[in-house]
Amino acid sequence: MLTTPVCHLLGIEAPVVCAAFGPWDEVDLAAAVCRAGGLGSLGTALRSAPELREQWARLRELTDRPFAINHTTRPLDEDAFRVTLEERPVAISFHLAVAPDLVARAHDAGILWIQQVSDARQAEEALGAGADVLVAQGGEAGGQGGDVATMVMVPQVVDMAGEVPVVAAGGIADGRGLAAALTLGAQGVLMGTRFLASEEMSVSRAWKDRIVASSATDAVKAVGSERILPPFNRPGSSGVPRVLRTPLVDALREHPERVDPAETVPRVLAAIRSGGGDEYLPFSGQSVALVHEILPAGEIVRRTVREAEAALALAVRAYTPSRPAGPPESGADAPLAPASSDL
């Protein structure tokens, strides 16, 4: 299987990370990704410490492979972070801000830190804080992020990161995206939208079907969503969600004053807690245009790796100049060496 140095760091086999989906239950999804050799993730939003412990126990019953636990600053729940340190996952993933004090606490507990960044400023802060892995997230991504495109973000962050491995995110849903990320200098990919449309993910079938049926332009920034989303509680936090359009999304964008938080927020939270919420804020990235079927998560991981290997091999064949038979050449004009499966 195609592997990279970040795989060795995280104890995984495939350079594929599944995004964390905040409050939605993704234990079965995370387990399937882990069993297939990738890194599964679990979110913590809106969940109490006992609920989180129960989820983590279920995951450990399903797999003994490494996984990550995600936190954000919308808001950061200190109790949830404390029990995460006690749980000691292989890594804590974090986004929407950089928190050096939390990085230090994780390292003191022997936990790696995966920091998602959406611009160069955040990348610089994350490197200064000692992050072990950077996720360079382009604005095409679903969920909450920035505006810089993945094709710009990834090489920019790679150039800044030095020896710190970079994982690409945003607009990636198949092996061609993984191959492209590797050629840009990343060591793997993080995919969210592709895994939302998996058999194991606990969201509604209607949400998955919308992902399969949608085009890239259907996934829009949820302008005005700060009116109903939890507030940030850490300095430097930023991020606007990308979602599929709904009546609520349109109302927040066009007539935010007509959306009453006191009435809307409890209704949305109740739907999310019951596994729904797609009728309000169906988080999805522009990679919906690349998702054509609902698949088992393990197959998504394996297919992504196979496609990446094929794409890399095709690129080498297509762009290696033809040479007449003769002795091997050396120097700048020598043909490219065959691609290695151990990048």
Side-chain angles (χ1 to χ4, degrees), residues 37-58:
L39 184 70
S41 304
L42 295 178
T44 57
L46 302 181
R47 300 287 179 176
S48 68
E51 287 178 298
L52 293 173
R53 289 188 185 278
E54 188 273 333
Q55 285 190 354
W56 302 336
R58 279 197 288 133

PDB file of all heavy atoms in Angstrom, residues 37-58:
ATOM      1  N   GLY A  37      -6.857   0.968   7.367  1.00  0.00           N
ATOM      2  CA  GLY A  37      -5.496   1.480   7.376  1.00  0.00           C
ATOM      3  C   GLY A  37      -5.376   2.976   7.467  1.00  0.00           C
ATOM      4  O   GLY A  37      -4.266   3.509   7.576  1.00  0.00           O
ATOM      5  N   GLY A  38      -6.506   3.710   7.430  1.00  0.00           N
ATOM      6  CA  GLY A  38      -6.460   5.154   7.558  1.00  0.00           C
ATOM      7  C   GLY A  38      -6.582   5.596   9.004  1.00  0.00           C
ATOM      8  O   GLY A  38      -6.562   4.781   9.930  1.00  0.00           O
ATOM      9  N   LEU A  39      -6.721   6.902   9.196  1.00  0.00           N
ATOM     10  CA  LEU A  39      -6.885   7.451  10.542  1.00  0.00           C
ATOM     11  C   LEU A  39      -8.328   7.913  10.703  1.00  0.00           C
ATOM     12  O   LEU A  39      -8.766   8.866  10.060  1.00  0.00           O
ATOM     13  CB  LEU A  39      -5.936   8.630  10.778  1.00  0.00           C
ATOM     14  CG  LEU A  39      -5.964   9.203  12.196  1.00  0.00           C
ATOM     15  CD1 LEU A  39      -5.344   8.212  13.190  1.00  0.00           C
ATOM     16  CD2 LEU A  39      -5.234  10.550  12.272  1.00  0.00           C
ATOM     17  N   GLY A  40      -9.085   7.222  11.556  1.00  0.00           N
ATOM     18  CA  GLY A  40     -10.430   7.647  11.881  1.00  0.00           C
ATOM     19  C   GLY A  40     -10.407   8.743  12.926  1.00  0.00           C
ATOM     20  O   GLY A  40      -9.440   8.887  13.678  1.00  0.00           O
ATOM     21  N   SER A  41     -11.476   9.523  12.966  1.00  0.00           N
ATOM     22  CA  SER A  41     -11.563  10.647  13.890  1.00  0.00           C
ATOM     23  C   SER A  41     -12.928  10.678  14.558  1.00  0.00           C
ATOM     24  O   SER A  41     -13.920  10.230  13.976  1.00  0.00           O
ATOM     25  CB  SER A  41     -11.333  11.974  13.166  1.00  0.00           C
ATOM     26  OG  SER A  41     -10.103  12.002  12.485  1.00  0.00           O
ATOM     27  N   LEU A  42     -12.968  11.253  15.742  1.00  0.00           N
ATOM     28  CA  LEU A  42     -14.222  11.453  16.457  1.00  0.00           C
ATOM     29  C   LEU A  42     -14.294  12.897  16.931  1.00  0.00           C
ATOM     30  O   LEU A  42     -13.338  13.418  17.498  1.00  0.00           O
ATOM     31  CB  LEU A  42     -14.328  10.520  17.669  1.00  0.00           C
ATOM     32  CG  LEU A  42     -14.403   9.015  17.391  1.00  0.00           C
ATOM     33  CD1 LEU A  42     -14.447   8.242  18.702  1.00  0.00           C
ATOM     34  CD2 LEU A  42     -15.623   8.682  16.545  1.00  0.00           C
ATOM     35  N   GLY A  43     -15.438  13.534  16.714  1.00  0.00           N
ATOM     36  CA  GLY A  43     -15.645  14.895  17.194  1.00  0.00           C
ATOM     37  C   GLY A  43     -16.122  14.913  18.631  1.00  0.00           C
ATOM     38  O   GLY A  43     -16.487  13.878  19.207  1.00  0.00           O
ATOM     39  N   THR A  44     -16.144  16.104  19.211  1.00  0.00           N
ATOM     40  CA  THR A  44     -16.540  16.250  20.613  1.00  0.00           C
ATOM     41  C   THR A  44     -17.645  17.276  20.820  1.00  0.00           C
ATOM     42  O   THR A  44     -18.160  17.402  21.932  1.00  0.00           O
ATOM     43  CB  THR A  44     -15.325  16.663  21.470  1.00  0.00           C
ATOM     44  OG1 THR A  44     -14.768  17.879  20.940  1.00  0.00           O
ATOM     45  CG2 THR A  44     -14.254  15.580  21.469  1.00  0.00           C
ATOM     46  N   ALA A  45     -18.033  18.004  19.788  1.00  0.00           N
ATOM     47  CA  ALA A  45     -18.976  19.106  19.956  1.00  0.00           C
ATOM     48  C   ALA A  45     -20.317  18.638  20.507  1.00  0.00           C
ATOM     49  O   ALA A  45     -20.841  17.593  20.116  1.00  0.00           O
ATOM     50  CB  ALA A  45     -19.203  19.812  18.614  1.00  0.00           C
ATOM     51  N   LEU A  46     -20.832  19.406  21.447  1.00  0.00           N
ATOM     52  CA  LEU A  46     -22.157  19.195  22.042  1.00  0.00           C
ATOM     53  C   LEU A  46     -22.268  17.912  22.848  1.00  0.00           C
ATOM     54  O   LEU A  46     -23.372  17.525  23.242  1.00  0.00           O
ATOM     55  CB  LEU A  46     -23.257  19.195  20.961  1.00  0.00           C
ATOM     56  CG  LEU A  46     -23.371  20.441  20.087  1.00  0.00           C
ATOM     57  CD1 LEU A  46     -24.529  20.270  19.087  1.00  0.00           C
ATOM     58  CD2 LEU A  46     -23.582  21.694  20.924  1.00  0.00           C
ATOM     59  N   ARG A  47     -21.148  17.248  23.091  1.00  0.00           N
ATOM     60  CA  ARG A  47     -21.187  15.978  23.822  1.00  0.00           C
ATOM     61  C   ARG A  47     -20.595  16.152  25.216  1.00  0.00           C
ATOM     62  O   ARG A  47     -19.545  16.777  25.383  1.00  0.00           O
ATOM     63  CB  ARG A  47     -20.397  14.908  23.074  1.00  0.00           C
ATOM     64  CG  ARG A  47     -20.914  14.616  21.668  1.00  0.00           C
ATOM     65  CD  ARG A  47     -22.208  13.833  21.713  1.00  0.00           C
ATOM     66  NE  ARG A  47     -22.727  13.572  20.366  1.00  0.00           N
ATOM     67  CZ  ARG A  47     -23.796  12.840  20.121  1.00  0.00           C
ATOM     68  NH1 ARG A  47     -24.464  12.289  21.116  1.00  0.00           N
ATOM     69  NH2 ARG A  47     -24.215  12.670  18.879  1.00  0.00           N
ATOM     70  N   SER A  48     -21.260  15.572  26.207  1.00  0.00           N
ATOM     71  CA  SER A  48     -20.742  15.606  27.578  1.00  0.00           C
ATOM     72  C   SER A  48     -19.587  14.619  27.712  1.00  0.00           C
ATOM     73  O   SER A  48     -19.412  13.717  26.877  1.00  0.00           O
ATOM     74  CB  SER A  48     -21.844  15.246  28.568  1.00  0.00           C
ATOM     75  OG  SER A  48     -22.213  13.875  28.408  1.00  0.00           O
ATOM     76  N   ALA A  49     -18.821  14.766  28.786  1.00  0.00           N
ATOM     77  CA  ALA A  49     -17.698  13.856  29.018  1.00  0.00           C
ATOM     78  C   ALA A  49     -18.158  12.397  29.102  1.00  0.00           C
ATOM     79  O   ALA A  49     -17.526  11.519  28.498  1.00  0.00           O
ATOM     80  CB  ALA A  49     -16.947  14.264  30.284  1.00  0.00           C
ATOM     81  N   PRO A  50     -19.241  12.071  29.812  1.00  0.00           N
ATOM     82  CA  PRO A  50     -19.692  10.672  29.826  1.00  0.00           C
ATOM     83  C   PRO A  50     -20.086  10.163  28.444  1.00  0.00           C
ATOM     84  O   PRO A  50     -19.790   9.004  28.101  1.00  0.00           O
ATOM     85  CB  PRO A  50     -20.899  10.698  30.774  1.00  0.00           C
ATOM     86  CG  PRO A  50     -20.634  11.854  31.684  1.00  0.00           C
ATOM     87  CD  PRO A  50     -19.978  12.875  30.812  1.00  0.00           C
ATOM     88  N   GLU A  51     -20.742  10.997  27.641  1.00  0.00           N
ATOM     89  CA  GLU A  51     -21.093  10.580  26.285  1.00  0.00           C
ATOM     90  C   GLU A  51     -19.842  10.296  25.458  1.00  0.00           C
ATOM     91  O   GLU A  51     -19.784   9.316  24.698  1.00  0.00           O
ATOM     92  CB  GLU A  51     -21.909  11.676  25.592  1.00  0.00           C
ATOM     93  CG  GLU A  51     -23.333  11.832  26.082  1.00  0.00           C
ATOM     94  CD  GLU A  51     -24.041  12.980  25.373  1.00  0.00           C
ATOM     95  OE1 GLU A  51     -23.591  14.140  25.503  1.00  0.00           O
ATOM     96  OE2 GLU A  51     -25.053  12.711  24.689  1.00  0.00           O
ATOM     97  N   LEU A  52     -18.838  11.158  25.607  1.00  0.00           N
ATOM     98  CA  LEU A  52     -17.600  10.970  24.850  1.00  0.00           C
ATOM     99  C   LEU A  52     -16.894   9.690  25.281  1.00  0.00           C
ATOM    100  O   LEU A  52     -16.416   8.917  24.435  1.00  0.00           O
ATOM    101  CB  LEU A  52     -16.686  12.176  25.038  1.00  0.00           C
ATOM    102  CG  LEU A  52     -17.196  13.488  24.440  1.00  0.00           C
ATOM    103  CD1 LEU A  52     -16.283  14.636  24.837  1.00  0.00           C
ATOM    104  CD2 LEU A  52     -17.317  13.390  22.931  1.00  0.00           C
ATOM    105  N   ARG A  53     -16.834   9.457  26.560  1.00  0.00           N
ATOM    106  CA  ARG A  53     -16.180   8.226  27.041  1.00  0.00           C
ATOM    107  C   ARG A  53     -16.882   6.985  26.491  1.00  0.00           C
ATOM    108  O   ARG A  53     -16.236   5.995  26.139  1.00  0.00           O
ATOM    109  CB  ARG A  53     -16.173   8.207  28.571  1.00  0.00           C
ATOM    110  CG  ARG A  53     -15.217   9.221  29.211  1.00  0.00           C
ATOM    111  CD  ARG A  53     -15.156   8.971  30.714  1.00  0.00           C
ATOM    112  NE  ARG A  53     -14.376   9.951  31.425  1.00  0.00           N
ATOM    113  CZ  ARG A  53     -13.046   9.940  31.533  1.00  0.00           C
ATOM    114  NH1 ARG A  53     -12.356   8.979  30.908  1.00  0.00           N
ATOM    115  NH2 ARG A  53     -12.415  10.857  32.223  1.00  0.00           N
ATOM    116  N   GLU A  54     -18.200   7.057  26.414  1.00  0.00           N
ATOM    117  CA  GLU A  54     -18.949   5.915  25.877  1.00  0.00           C
ATOM    118  C   GLU A  54     -18.626   5.703  24.398  1.00  0.00           C
ATOM    119  O   GLU A  54     -18.460   4.567  23.946  1.00  0.00           O
ATOM    120  CB  GLU A  54     -20.449   6.169  26.068  1.00  0.00           C
ATOM    121  CG  GLU A  54     -21.339   4.982  25.726  1.00  0.00           C
ATOM    122  CD  GLU A  54     -21.717   4.936  24.246  1.00  0.00           C
ATOM    123  OE1 GLU A  54     -21.740   6.018  23.613  1.00  0.00           O
ATOM    124  OE2 GLU A  54     -21.968   3.837  23.713  1.00  0.00           O
ATOM    125  N   GLN A  55     -18.530   6.796  23.638  1.00  0.00           N
ATOM    126  CA  GLN A  55     -18.160   6.681  22.226  1.00  0.00           C
ATOM    127  C   GLN A  55     -16.764   6.080  22.071  1.00  0.00           C
ATOM    128  O   GLN A  55     -16.546   5.192  21.230  1.00  0.00           O
ATOM    129  CB  GLN A  55     -18.204   8.055  21.550  1.00  0.00           C
ATOM    130  CG  GLN A  55     -19.586   8.573  21.262  1.00  0.00           C
ATOM    131  CD  GLN A  55     -19.552   9.806  20.374  1.00  0.00           C
ATOM    132  OE1 GLN A  55     -18.494  10.347  20.064  1.00  0.00           O
ATOM    133  NE2 GLN A  55     -20.721  10.248  19.943  1.00  0.00           N
ATOM    134  N   TRP A  56     -15.817   6.567  22.848  1.00  0.00           N
ATOM    135  CA  TRP A  56     -14.448   6.080  22.727  1.00  0.00           C
ATOM    136  C   TRP A  56     -14.348   4.606  23.108  1.00  0.00           C
ATOM    137  O   TRP A  56     -13.599   3.847  22.489  1.00  0.00           O
ATOM    138  CB  TRP A  56     -13.519   6.924  23.603  1.00  0.00           C
ATOM    139  CG  TRP A  56     -13.551   8.394  23.257  1.00  0.00           C
ATOM    140  CD1 TRP A  56     -13.917   8.942  22.052  1.00  0.00           C
ATOM    141  CD2 TRP A  56     -13.253   9.481  24.120  1.00  0.00           C
ATOM    142  NE1 TRP A  56     -13.837  10.316  22.113  1.00  0.00           N
ATOM    143  CE2 TRP A  56     -13.446  10.680  23.362  1.00  0.00           C
ATOM    144  CE3 TRP A  56     -12.842   9.590  25.450  1.00  0.00           C
ATOM    145  CZ2 TRP A  56     -13.214  11.954  23.908  1.00  0.00           C
ATOM    146  CZ3 TRP A  56     -12.615  10.860  25.991  1.00  0.00           C
ATOM    147  CH2 TRP A  56     -12.804  12.019  25.225  1.00  0.00           C
ATOM    148  N   ALA A  57     -15.117   4.214  24.119  1.00  0.00           N
ATOM    149  CA  ALA A  57     -15.113   2.802  24.505  1.00  0.00           C
ATOM    150  C   ALA A  57     -15.677   1.935  23.387  1.00  0.00           C
ATOM    151  O   ALA A  57     -15.154   0.843  23.099  1.00  0.00           O
ATOM    152  CB  ALA A  57     -15.932   2.619  25.787  1.00  0.00           C
ATOM    153  N   ARG A  58     -16.748   2.403  22.729  1.00  0.00           N
ATOM    154  CA  ARG A  58     -17.303   1.646  21.604  1.00  0.00           C
ATOM    155  C   ARG A  58     -16.303   1.512  20.475  1.00  0.00           C
ATOM    156  O   ARG A  58     -16.172   0.449  19.857  1.00  0.00           O
ATOM    157  CB  ARG A  58     -18.577   2.335  21.091  1.00  0.00           C
ATOM    158  CG  ARG A  58     -19.820   2.050  21.889  1.00  0.00           C
ATOM    159  CD  ARG A  58     -21.068   2.415  21.082  1.00  0.00           C
ATOM    160  NE  ARG A  58     -21.229   3.851  20.954  1.00  0.00           N
ATOM    161  CZ  ARG A  58     -21.506   4.472  19.827  1.00  0.00           C
ATOM    162  NH1 ARG A  58     -21.624   3.780  18.700  1.00  0.00           N
ATOM    163  NH2 ARG A  58     -21.662   5.780  19.793  1.00  0.00           N
TER     164      ARG A  58
END
